[in-house]
Amino acid sequence: MLQDLPRDWFALFGLPVQFEIDQTALTQSFRELQTRYHPDRYAQASEQEKRLAMQITSLLNEAHSTLRQPRLRARYLLEQAGISFNDDRDTTSDTGFLMQQIEWREAIEEAEEAAEPLETLEQLMKGLNTELQSLEQSFARAWQTKTYLDAKTTLLKMRFYERLLEDAQSRLERLEDGL
Amino acid sequence: MAYSEKVIDHYENPRNVGSFNKADLQIGTGMVGAPACGDVMKLQIKVNAEGIIEDAKFKTYGCGSAIASSSLLTEWVKGKTLEQAKQIKNTDIAAELELPPVKVHCSVLAEDAIRAAIEDYQSKQQG
């Protein structure tokens, strides 16, 4: 029984294979499976079954944390479609996009000197979230139409916005701590 | 993760930080980003009439290794011809800075940036 789990992570949680996801259904299904395969329930089982239950628990955690995060979910979908990633070698050379990135970085740096630094940072983060959402929508369209290389290009841009958001968030927290 | 002393030195005292006017014909600008971590690097070279890189500047938004890689590279390319600068490999940068394997992509970024800057300069001369 333990071995019969679907290999595909969407199938594992009983979800359709697509970018848009029902987070509530994902969480609910994750909890059910987590309970069903909890190592405590295999305390009396054979050593082999205990080990399998452990492996399944860690697989469930990995699958769940991948699918719940849009960028990781997008990457999983592309990898399943045969698109490969090389984190050491993949670079982005889209000059227009990179110029925008530098402008965002500068805006975040300058926000601290603004008259209302907290509001300015919050406003910037709102803008960054909008950009991220629009990338997610582009990804969903590209994946649906199977234009996988476009989908990959879109996905690779997401990390840059996440990074900007992390940067803005930590500056925001530092400012709030200082108040 | 422990940075090497060389990385810390370049990180704390980055060489050649700044910008040249992108529109200047003598200037080549290379921009690259690392999608794995969101780092962005801008590297500019100033090339004289003899085809020698006489100055270089960079602006990098990223981790210590990315900053050190671009800082070191701007030092290395000064005084080199474009052909010589093209020969610089990311592995040379990674070796000099003793980058750990997880940070090798920062040196790849620097290599791609200098290539992009040279290409930008050369395409300007033809245009």
Side-chain angles (χ1 to χ4, degrees), chain A residues 81-164:
Chain A
I83 301 295
S84 59
F85 288 82
N86 183 340
D87 286 337
D88 283 342
R89 286 277 156 190
D90 285 336
T91 52
T92 302
S93 52
D94 178 340
T95 310
F97 170 75
L98 294 167
M99 286 300 290
Q100 272 177 346
Q101 284 296 307
I102 290 193
E103 281 164 22
W104 280 108
R105 294 272 191 169
E106 286 169 351
I108 292 171
E109 280 179 357
E110 285 158 14
E112 285 177 42
E113 274 102 62
E116 301 281 357
L118 288 177
E119 285 75 3
T120 312
L121 274 173
E122 276 163 4
Q123 211 53 43
L124 283 168
M125 288 174 77
K126 210 185 259 183
L128 288 168
N129 275 311
T130 309
E131 295 283 345
L132 205 48
Q133 278 161 14
S134 105
L135 283 176
E136 286 170 12
Q137 285 161 6
S138 307
F139 176 86
R141 277 195 301 274
W143 187 79
Q144 263 166 6
T145 55
K146 296 191 169 28
T147 44
Y148 294 134
L149 291 180
D150 285 350
K152 181 180 176 180
T153 308
T154 308
L155 161 60
L156 291 183
K157 289 180 177 170
M158 290 182 195
R159 181 74 185 94
F160 290 91
Y161 284 100
E162 286 175 11
R163 181 67 182 279
L164 288 165

Side-chain angles (χ1 to χ4, degrees), chain B residues 104-126:
Chain B
V104 164
H105 72 268
C106 299
S107 63
V108 172
L109 209 57
E111 180 189 318
D112 282 8
I114 183 67
R115 279 161 197 274
I118 294 170
E119 275 169 34
D120 178 59
Y121 171 79
Q122 287 175 333
S123 72
K124 269 180 170 175
Q125 309 312 306
Q126 286 155 12

